[in-house]
Amino acid sequence: MAQAAAHDHHDEHHDEHHEHQNFFQRWVMSTNHKDIGTLYLVFSLLMFFIGGSFAMVIRAELFKPGMQLVQPYFFNEMTTMHALVMIFGAVMPAFVGLGNWMIPMMVGAPDMALPRMNNLSFWILPFAFALMLSTLFLPGGGPAGGWTMYPPLSLQSASTAYVVFAIHLMGISSIMGAINIIATILNMRAPGMDLLKMPVFVWSWLITAFLLIAVMPVLAGAVTMLLTDKYFNTHFFDAAGGGDPILFQHVFWFFGHPEVYIMILPAFGIISEIIPTFARKPIFGYKAMVFAIASIAFLSFIVWAHHMFAVGLPLGAEIFFMYATMLIAVPTGVKVFNWVATMWGGSMTFETPMLFAISFVILFSIGGFSGLMLALVPADFQYHDTYFVVAHFHYVLVTGAIFAIMAATYYWIPKWTGHMYSEFWGKVHFWNSVVWVNVLFFPQHFLGLAGMPRRIPDYNVAFANFNMISSIGGFLFGASQLIFLGVIIHCVWFSKKKATDRVWEGARGLEWTLSSPPPHHSFSIAPEIHDEELAHGHVED
Amino acid sequence: MRAGGIGKHGIRFRAKHAVGALGLMALGLFGGTVQANPQPGQLNLTPGVTTYSHVPYMLNNVALGVCVVIGILVFGAMFIAMFRFRKSRGAVPEKWSHNTTVEIIWTVIPVIILITLAWLATDGLRQFSDTTGSQMTVKVTGYQWKWRYDYVDYQGKPLHVDFMSRLDDQSNATRQLNSGLDPWAVKSDGEQTYLLNVDHPLVVPIHTKIRFVITADDVIHSWFVPALGWKMDAIPGVINAAWTNINEPGIYRGQCAELCGQDHGFMPIVVKAVSQEDFAKWLAAQQKPAAAPAPASTAAAPAQATAQVAAAHATQG
């Protein structure tokens, strides 16, 4: 790779060089951060639609009371697979894809530090998901015990081994991706790109990568214990053999809560790039933003049991985890306030990335508010495992993580492809998404407060009206994503409008100094860093 | 001493209750009178019917109020910024990107708000966690997919009453895939009880501190009745404790709240709270057959229970 980089000083020369590759060599054997980033993003989009189709089945069955479409067991398979596919297949690979594409360009590197490992970490994923999704077509069906896989229920499933091995593969992929990102950020920065001059997105990924390395092995351990409990007669989680079903929950959520932040910290980074660009004003409190991300990452390790308030924890533990959880509101609040302060006194325009970023700030905050309410243990005894929780985590994951990914796509796709997307259709996509996602998820707060449990295929008629509204929102939100697909296809293959190198008037940072599309190896020669050209380096705090 | 403690909290929370309720009505968040069981269009938690259930209700209202106020301030500032600082209005971007004073302010103020909420929540949690001084013990056991209730003791005397409680036949017939039956037609006592009714409800006395010991026999379940104000997981190999003290007679409905397999959505919970006199009568009726050779728990005792709670089933198919 280093040799190739040394030879490819000139883009056009270089592109000719790569035309010799056939399709297989270009995509399957690629060691290029942009190609692998593209693979991750395409894979993520595919999984987004597969996971979304499961959600459509769920919302269709819940459209009205009574069982009309599927058997309860299949419904449980859908809720389980929807979560697994969306978390491990859509959101996480999308962030890895964005990191792959942007981190080398943002820090002034030619490529990722470990390009072959990069290839491997991507190509594991299709196999992991083939293994997991195949269970839906096998005798006994797919996993139906929820994505949290709580034993003893999860051990009743015939697909435990498939799912455990699939999760092992995903974990290996994530750990390798994380190692690569850390190695790139720590070793491949251009001279003068100090850590505290890096874009917030790069910072957010550096911290996220450490979270991944810390917790993916924990998940692997937990699911391995499930496997040996089921097939090798161990009794880690079997009370009859001296084990403890709650032990699994502790271990799982020690992974699971940092995992939640793995899915949102890179989103914070993306929003922190987009808002300054379209406000034409440097981000407010750069160091506070970085410090807030680090604080949230630290706190994520000491709040896991707030997912378990109803398991009968001792009073002292409930109080500790409640206080620690509430503390997260402080750095999260700082981030939201800083985004608003970045807008204040700016000169704003509202292109599609900015629209998604603004809706992120509002809707993610609503998810944060319900998160604060959930932290209050006595109130959580009512909210826990109801639709209030479903509404909460879909606000932070759909209008949080996924909106940030969409914002990032609109923000960077002109740079990736060299073409502008259709602003009109981007806005059509945005307005449809933001309206229907609220029709979809806001009524679920009311359902939860009224006492509707989550993960049920049918419900009392008192819950009928809000479920129908939610389902209508769900179908239309799902359909709106076809517009997203259309905008991307148009931009990649049909758009006639060339993107400039800068793309956005207010864009700052090294990635915008490259051509659109950028050369195969981003910075063959380390760029000279001029502070006023950086997104954040000239900031005096 | 205990009664005094409860009374003190009762008074304090009633005052807060009134303030919170007024504030929320002003926000238009309440739709009509508040009911114990889920209502169509219900927008908020139920205040519940027990000496404790106002705690989560109040905490919910206070926290929601705090969130709404912060939301209005933050999103309000954001919308003002979006209208004032538009390029199309000729806004010129300013250069500043830092202000220590405001950063300290918006770090400290949330901390103060959080401390207040934490204090309220801790107080409520302390009440909930005190299961001492109970006058009755009921053991709740979760099974795939039904509940078993064992009446362990009442007013210091051991009891031998136990039965299984599962989804009522009418709901069960209606909930089959493409049954063609109308969920709206499932009624009991004029209430629409589709999936929220059982063959044998848990009958308990009002004005009695009841301690529940909760466990499970196969997988994890969760015993959840919103009107009581809490849920508690039922975990095999673990015995959890919780308590309630119901103020008003009535039928309070809930559901299993922890995914427990294919019929997780079909194992409701019904608590029938009756006066202490009625409970004594019910209990006597239960114990008569128990004095003879102990009945199979699911057969004889529930037959009696059915007679006692005939009203609850009168309208069933």
Side-chain angles (χ1 to χ4, degrees), chain A residues 423-445:
Chain A
E423 192 61 46
F424 172 79
W425 284 104
K427 284 186 170 141
V428 170
H429 171 232
F430 167 75
W431 285 109
N432 272 287
S433 295
V434 79
V435 168
W436 300 123
V437 83
N438 283 291
V439 175
L440 166 57
F441 293 120
F442 207 80
Q444 295 184 359
H445 290 111

PDB file of all heavy atoms in Angstrom, chain A residues 423-445:
ATOM      1  N   GLU A 423     -31.157  18.524  -4.506  1.00  0.00           N
ATOM      2  CA  GLU A 423     -31.560  19.210  -3.278  1.00  0.00           C
ATOM      3  C   GLU A 423     -33.068  19.117  -3.084  1.00  0.00           C
ATOM      4  O   GLU A 423     -33.554  18.917  -1.960  1.00  0.00           O
ATOM      5  CB  GLU A 423     -31.106  20.680  -3.353  1.00  0.00           C
ATOM      6  CG  GLU A 423     -31.187  21.445  -2.050  1.00  0.00           C
ATOM      7  CD  GLU A 423     -30.319  20.865  -0.934  1.00  0.00           C
ATOM      8  OE1 GLU A 423     -29.141  20.538  -1.169  1.00  0.00           O
ATOM      9  OE2 GLU A 423     -30.849  20.711   0.184  1.00  0.00           O
ATOM     10  N   PHE A 424     -33.816  19.208  -4.193  1.00  0.00           N
ATOM     11  CA  PHE A 424     -35.273  19.134  -4.076  1.00  0.00           C
ATOM     12  C   PHE A 424     -35.700  17.794  -3.475  1.00  0.00           C
ATOM     13  O   PHE A 424     -36.450  17.745  -2.500  1.00  0.00           O
ATOM     14  CB  PHE A 424     -35.928  19.338  -5.444  1.00  0.00           C
ATOM     15  CG  PHE A 424     -37.420  19.087  -5.425  1.00  0.00           C
ATOM     16  CD1 PHE A 424     -38.279  20.049  -4.945  1.00  0.00           C
ATOM     17  CD2 PHE A 424     -37.945  17.882  -5.882  1.00  0.00           C
ATOM     18  CE1 PHE A 424     -39.652  19.814  -4.908  1.00  0.00           C
ATOM     19  CE2 PHE A 424     -39.311  17.645  -5.842  1.00  0.00           C
ATOM     20  CZ  PHE A 424     -40.168  18.616  -5.365  1.00  0.00           C
ATOM     21  N   TRP A 425     -35.177  16.702  -4.056  1.00  0.00           N
ATOM     22  CA  TRP A 425     -35.604  15.391  -3.560  1.00  0.00           C
ATOM     23  C   TRP A 425     -35.018  15.094  -2.186  1.00  0.00           C
ATOM     24  O   TRP A 425     -35.624  14.390  -1.393  1.00  0.00           O
ATOM     25  CB  TRP A 425     -35.254  14.287  -4.571  1.00  0.00           C
ATOM     26  CG  TRP A 425     -36.216  14.335  -5.709  1.00  0.00           C
ATOM     27  CD1 TRP A 425     -35.988  14.827  -6.963  1.00  0.00           C
ATOM     28  CD2 TRP A 425     -37.591  13.936  -5.690  1.00  0.00           C
ATOM     29  NE1 TRP A 425     -37.123  14.745  -7.734  1.00  0.00           N
ATOM     30  CE2 TRP A 425     -38.123  14.202  -6.979  1.00  0.00           C
ATOM     31  CE3 TRP A 425     -38.426  13.389  -4.722  1.00  0.00           C
ATOM     32  CZ2 TRP A 425     -39.451  13.928  -7.308  1.00  0.00           C
ATOM     33  CZ3 TRP A 425     -39.742  13.111  -5.062  1.00  0.00           C
ATOM     34  CH2 TRP A 425     -40.241  13.385  -6.336  1.00  0.00           C
ATOM     35  N   GLY A 426     -33.858  15.653  -1.896  1.00  0.00           N
ATOM     36  CA  GLY A 426     -33.310  15.531  -0.548  1.00  0.00           C
ATOM     37  C   GLY A 426     -34.258  16.148   0.466  1.00  0.00           C
ATOM     38  O   GLY A 426     -34.523  15.574   1.531  1.00  0.00           O
ATOM     39  N   LYS A 427     -34.776  17.323   0.115  1.00  0.00           N
ATOM     40  CA  LYS A 427     -35.704  17.987   1.051  1.00  0.00           C
ATOM     41  C   LYS A 427     -37.029  17.237   1.135  1.00  0.00           C
ATOM     42  O   LYS A 427     -37.636  17.160   2.213  1.00  0.00           O
ATOM     43  CB  LYS A 427     -35.918  19.444   0.633  1.00  0.00           C
ATOM     44  CG  LYS A 427     -34.706  20.279   1.013  1.00  0.00           C
ATOM     45  CD  LYS A 427     -34.879  21.753   0.784  1.00  0.00           C
ATOM     46  CE  LYS A 427     -33.712  22.493   1.420  1.00  0.00           C
ATOM     47  NZ  LYS A 427     -33.236  23.619   0.613  1.00  0.00           N
ATOM     48  N   VAL A 428     -37.476  16.682   0.012  1.00  0.00           N
ATOM     49  CA  VAL A 428     -38.697  15.862   0.055  1.00  0.00           C
ATOM     50  C   VAL A 428     -38.476  14.685   1.016  1.00  0.00           C
ATOM     51  O   VAL A 428     -39.324  14.375   1.850  1.00  0.00           O
ATOM     52  CB  VAL A 428     -39.068  15.354  -1.359  1.00  0.00           C
ATOM     53  CG1 VAL A 428     -40.182  14.316  -1.281  1.00  0.00           C
ATOM     54  CG2 VAL A 428     -39.484  16.522  -2.255  1.00  0.00           C
ATOM     55  N   HIS A 429     -37.297  14.074   0.877  1.00  0.00           N
ATOM     56  CA  HIS A 429     -36.974  12.960   1.774  1.00  0.00           C
ATOM     57  C   HIS A 429     -36.948  13.422   3.232  1.00  0.00           C
ATOM     58  O   HIS A 429     -37.515  12.779   4.112  1.00  0.00           O
ATOM     59  CB  HIS A 429     -35.623  12.348   1.387  1.00  0.00           C
ATOM     60  CG  HIS A 429     -35.110  11.343   2.371  1.00  0.00           C
ATOM     61  ND1 HIS A 429     -33.856  11.407   2.916  1.00  0.00           N
ATOM     62  CD2 HIS A 429     -35.701  10.262   2.918  1.00  0.00           C
ATOM     63  CE1 HIS A 429     -33.697  10.397   3.763  1.00  0.00           C
ATOM     64  NE2 HIS A 429     -34.797   9.690   3.783  1.00  0.00           N
ATOM     65  N   PHE A 430     -36.302  14.568   3.462  1.00  0.00           N
ATOM     66  CA  PHE A 430     -36.211  15.053   4.839  1.00  0.00           C
ATOM     67  C   PHE A 430     -37.586  15.302   5.438  1.00  0.00           C
ATOM     68  O   PHE A 430     -37.898  14.821   6.529  1.00  0.00           O
ATOM     69  CB  PHE A 430     -35.385  16.341   4.924  1.00  0.00           C
ATOM     70  CG  PHE A 430     -35.536  17.010   6.261  1.00  0.00           C
ATOM     71  CD1 PHE A 430     -34.892  16.497   7.375  1.00  0.00           C
ATOM     72  CD2 PHE A 430     -36.368  18.117   6.424  1.00  0.00           C
ATOM     73  CE1 PHE A 430     -35.062  17.073   8.619  1.00  0.00           C
ATOM     74  CE2 PHE A 430     -36.554  18.698   7.669  1.00  0.00           C
ATOM     75  CZ  PHE A 430     -35.897  18.168   8.764  1.00  0.00           C
ATOM     76  N   TRP A 431     -38.409  16.066   4.722  1.00  0.00           N
ATOM     77  CA  TRP A 431     -39.698  16.449   5.333  1.00  0.00           C
ATOM     78  C   TRP A 431     -40.578  15.240   5.545  1.00  0.00           C
ATOM     79  O   TRP A 431     -41.287  15.131   6.547  1.00  0.00           O
ATOM     80  CB  TRP A 431     -40.392  17.543   4.513  1.00  0.00           C
ATOM     81  CG  TRP A 431     -39.716  18.868   4.731  1.00  0.00           C
ATOM     82  CD1 TRP A 431     -38.949  19.560   3.839  1.00  0.00           C
ATOM     83  CD2 TRP A 431     -39.706  19.638   5.946  1.00  0.00           C
ATOM     84  NE1 TRP A 431     -38.463  20.713   4.426  1.00  0.00           N
ATOM     85  CE2 TRP A 431     -38.913  20.787   5.712  1.00  0.00           C
ATOM     86  CE3 TRP A 431     -40.271  19.459   7.216  1.00  0.00           C
ATOM     87  CZ2 TRP A 431     -38.680  21.755   6.693  1.00  0.00           C
ATOM     88  CZ3 TRP A 431     -40.045  20.428   8.200  1.00  0.00           C
ATOM     89  CH2 TRP A 431     -39.263  21.563   7.921  1.00  0.00           C
ATOM     90  N   ASN A 432     -40.568  14.310   4.597  1.00  0.00           N
ATOM     91  CA  ASN A 432     -41.335  13.084   4.805  1.00  0.00           C
ATOM     92  C   ASN A 432     -40.818  12.316   6.010  1.00  0.00           C
ATOM     93  O   ASN A 432     -41.592  11.850   6.848  1.00  0.00           O
ATOM     94  CB  ASN A 432     -41.279  12.200   3.555  1.00  0.00           C
ATOM     95  CG  ASN A 432     -42.388  12.557   2.586  1.00  0.00           C
ATOM     96  OD1 ASN A 432     -43.546  12.251   2.837  1.00  0.00           O
ATOM     97  ND2 ASN A 432     -42.041  13.240   1.524  1.00  0.00           N
ATOM     98  N   SER A 433     -39.504  12.193   6.095  1.00  0.00           N
ATOM     99  CA  SER A 433     -38.936  11.423   7.210  1.00  0.00           C
ATOM    100  C   SER A 433     -39.282  12.061   8.541  1.00  0.00           C
ATOM    101  O   SER A 433     -39.718  11.387   9.477  1.00  0.00           O
ATOM    102  CB  SER A 433     -37.412  11.339   7.080  1.00  0.00           C
ATOM    103  OG  SER A 433     -37.070  10.606   5.947  1.00  0.00           O
ATOM    104  N   VAL A 434     -39.103  13.373   8.636  1.00  0.00           N
ATOM    105  CA  VAL A 434     -39.227  14.008   9.952  1.00  0.00           C
ATOM    106  C   VAL A 434     -40.689  14.047  10.396  1.00  0.00           C
ATOM    107  O   VAL A 434     -40.987  13.932  11.586  1.00  0.00           O
ATOM    108  CB  VAL A 434     -38.566  15.404   9.948  1.00  0.00           C
ATOM    109  CG1 VAL A 434     -39.458  16.445   9.312  1.00  0.00           C
ATOM    110  CG2 VAL A 434     -38.189  15.815  11.362  1.00  0.00           C
ATOM    111  N   VAL A 435     -41.600  14.164   9.451  1.00  0.00           N
ATOM    112  CA  VAL A 435     -43.013  14.152   9.839  1.00  0.00           C
ATOM    113  C   VAL A 435     -43.426  12.743  10.246  1.00  0.00           C
ATOM    114  O   VAL A 435     -43.971  12.522  11.332  1.00  0.00           O
ATOM    115  CB  VAL A 435     -43.895  14.675   8.686  1.00  0.00           C
ATOM    116  CG1 VAL A 435     -45.371  14.396   8.978  1.00  0.00           C
ATOM    117  CG2 VAL A 435     -43.668  16.169   8.485  1.00  0.00           C
ATOM    118  N   TRP A 436     -43.137  11.772   9.382  1.00  0.00           N
ATOM    119  CA  TRP A 436     -43.678  10.436   9.644  1.00  0.00           C
ATOM    120  C   TRP A 436     -42.984   9.751  10.800  1.00  0.00           C
ATOM    121  O   TRP A 436     -43.583   8.937  11.496  1.00  0.00           O
ATOM    122  CB  TRP A 436     -43.617   9.574   8.376  1.00  0.00           C
ATOM    123  CG  TRP A 436     -44.417  10.178   7.271  1.00  0.00           C
ATOM    124  CD1 TRP A 436     -43.987  10.526   6.030  1.00  0.00           C
ATOM    125  CD2 TRP A 436     -45.815  10.544   7.306  1.00  0.00           C
ATOM    126  NE1 TRP A 436     -45.002  11.090   5.288  1.00  0.00           N
ATOM    127  CE2 TRP A 436     -46.134  11.115   6.054  1.00  0.00           C
ATOM    128  CE3 TRP A 436     -46.811  10.467   8.275  1.00  0.00           C
ATOM    129  CZ2 TRP A 436     -47.414  11.595   5.749  1.00  0.00           C
ATOM    130  CZ3 TRP A 436     -48.074  10.943   7.976  1.00  0.00           C
ATOM    131  CH2 TRP A 436     -48.363  11.494   6.720  1.00  0.00           C
ATOM    132  N   VAL A 437     -41.716  10.082  11.034  1.00  0.00           N
ATOM    133  CA  VAL A 437     -41.045   9.419  12.155  1.00  0.00           C
ATOM    134  C   VAL A 437     -41.681   9.847  13.471  1.00  0.00           C
ATOM    135  O   VAL A 437     -41.754   9.070  14.422  1.00  0.00           O
ATOM    136  CB  VAL A 437     -39.521   9.694  12.125  1.00  0.00           C
ATOM    137  CG1 VAL A 437     -39.171  11.030  12.759  1.00  0.00           C
ATOM    138  CG2 VAL A 437     -38.760   8.568  12.815  1.00  0.00           C
ATOM    139  N   ASN A 438     -42.161  11.085  13.510  1.00  0.00           N
ATOM    140  CA  ASN A 438     -42.846  11.528  14.731  1.00  0.00           C
ATOM    141  C   ASN A 438     -44.242  10.934  14.851  1.00  0.00           C
ATOM    142  O   ASN A 438     -44.684  10.602  15.952  1.00  0.00           O
ATOM    143  CB  ASN A 438     -42.889  13.058  14.787  1.00  0.00           C
ATOM    144  CG  ASN A 438     -41.546  13.634  15.211  1.00  0.00           C
ATOM    145  OD1 ASN A 438     -41.132  13.479  16.341  1.00  0.00           O
ATOM    146  ND2 ASN A 438     -40.840  14.256  14.276  1.00  0.00           N
ATOM    147  N   VAL A 439     -44.926  10.813  13.713  1.00  0.00           N
ATOM    148  CA  VAL A 439     -46.227  10.133  13.747  1.00  0.00           C
ATOM    149  C   VAL A 439     -46.023   8.688  14.200  1.00  0.00           C
ATOM    150  O   VAL A 439     -46.834   8.120  14.930  1.00  0.00           O
ATOM    151  CB  VAL A 439     -46.895  10.184  12.355  1.00  0.00           C
ATOM    152  CG1 VAL A 439     -48.184   9.364  12.349  1.00  0.00           C
ATOM    153  CG2 VAL A 439     -47.170  11.620  11.953  1.00  0.00           C
ATOM    154  N   LEU A 440     -44.897   8.117  13.789  1.00  0.00           N
ATOM    155  CA  LEU A 440     -44.588   6.734  14.149  1.00  0.00           C
ATOM    156  C   LEU A 440     -44.285   6.577  15.634  1.00  0.00           C
ATOM    157  O   LEU A 440     -44.844   5.728  16.310  1.00  0.00           O
ATOM    158  CB  LEU A 440     -43.393   6.269  13.291  1.00  0.00           C
ATOM    159  CG  LEU A 440     -42.639   4.990  13.658  1.00  0.00           C
ATOM    160  CD1 LEU A 440     -43.570   3.797  13.722  1.00  0.00           C
ATOM    161  CD2 LEU A 440     -41.535   4.732  12.636  1.00  0.00           C
ATOM    162  N   PHE A 441     -43.392   7.401  16.140  1.00  0.00           N
ATOM    163  CA  PHE A 441     -42.878   7.131  17.489  1.00  0.00           C
ATOM    164  C   PHE A 441     -43.484   7.985  18.595  1.00  0.00           C
ATOM    165  O   PHE A 441     -43.477   7.557  19.744  1.00  0.00           O
ATOM    166  CB  PHE A 441     -41.350   7.249  17.520  1.00  0.00           C
ATOM    167  CG  PHE A 441     -40.675   6.173  16.720  1.00  0.00           C
ATOM    168  CD1 PHE A 441     -39.854   6.481  15.646  1.00  0.00           C
ATOM    169  CD2 PHE A 441     -40.883   4.837  17.023  1.00  0.00           C
ATOM    170  CE1 PHE A 441     -39.251   5.482  14.897  1.00  0.00           C
ATOM    171  CE2 PHE A 441     -40.283   3.832  16.277  1.00  0.00           C
ATOM    172  CZ  PHE A 441     -39.464   4.163  15.217  1.00  0.00           C
ATOM    173  N   PHE A 442     -43.986   9.181  18.295  1.00  0.00           N
ATOM    174  CA  PHE A 442     -44.474   9.987  19.419  1.00  0.00           C
ATOM    175  C   PHE A 442     -45.643   9.327  20.145  1.00  0.00           C
ATOM    176  O   PHE A 442     -45.658   9.289  21.377  1.00  0.00           O
ATOM    177  CB  PHE A 442     -44.796  11.432  19.016  1.00  0.00           C
ATOM    178  CG  PHE A 442     -44.653  12.365  20.178  1.00  0.00           C
ATOM    179  CD1 PHE A 442     -43.403  12.821  20.570  1.00  0.00           C
ATOM    180  CD2 PHE A 442     -45.755  12.734  20.937  1.00  0.00           C
ATOM    181  CE1 PHE A 442     -43.241  13.621  21.685  1.00  0.00           C
ATOM    182  CE2 PHE A 442     -45.611  13.546  22.059  1.00  0.00           C
ATOM    183  CZ  PHE A 442     -44.355  13.994  22.431  1.00  0.00           C
ATOM    184  N   PRO A 443     -46.633   8.775  19.416  1.00  0.00           N
ATOM    185  CA  PRO A 443     -47.759   8.153  20.139  1.00  0.00           C
ATOM    186  C   PRO A 443     -47.329   6.969  21.005  1.00  0.00           C
ATOM    187  O   PRO A 443     -48.047   6.593  21.925  1.00  0.00           O
ATOM    188  CB  PRO A 443     -48.686   7.676  19.018  1.00  0.00           C
ATOM    189  CG  PRO A 443     -48.280   8.449  17.817  1.00  0.00           C
ATOM    190  CD  PRO A 443     -46.823   8.725  17.961  1.00  0.00           C
ATOM    191  N   GLN A 444     -46.167   6.397  20.711  1.00  0.00           N
ATOM    192  CA  GLN A 444     -45.726   5.257  21.508  1.00  0.00           C
ATOM    193  C   GLN A 444     -45.409   5.669  22.949  1.00  0.00           C
ATOM    194  O   GLN A 444     -45.495   4.841  23.858  1.00  0.00           O
ATOM    195  CB  GLN A 444     -44.522   4.582  20.850  1.00  0.00           C
ATOM    196  CG  GLN A 444     -44.901   3.967  19.500  1.00  0.00           C
ATOM    197  CD  GLN A 444     -43.775   3.194  18.850  1.00  0.00           C
ATOM    198  OE1 GLN A 444     -42.673   3.116  19.392  1.00  0.00           O
ATOM    199  NE2 GLN A 444     -44.046   2.629  17.691  1.00  0.00           N
ATOM    200  N   HIS A 445     -45.065   6.947  23.153  1.00  0.00           N
ATOM    201  CA  HIS A 445     -44.929   7.428  24.540  1.00  0.00           C
ATOM    202  C   HIS A 445     -46.250   7.230  25.290  1.00  0.00           C
ATOM    203  O   HIS A 445     -46.275   6.759  26.422  1.00  0.00           O
ATOM    204  CB  HIS A 445     -44.591   8.919  24.582  1.00  0.00           C
ATOM    205  CG  HIS A 445     -43.211   9.269  24.099  1.00  0.00           C
ATOM    206  ND1 HIS A 445     -42.983   9.950  22.926  1.00  0.00           N
ATOM    207  CD2 HIS A 445     -41.989   9.043  24.639  1.00  0.00           C
ATOM    208  CE1 HIS A 445     -41.683  10.136  22.772  1.00  0.00           C
ATOM    209  NE2 HIS A 445     -41.046   9.595  23.789  1.00  0.00           N
TER     210      HIS A 445
END
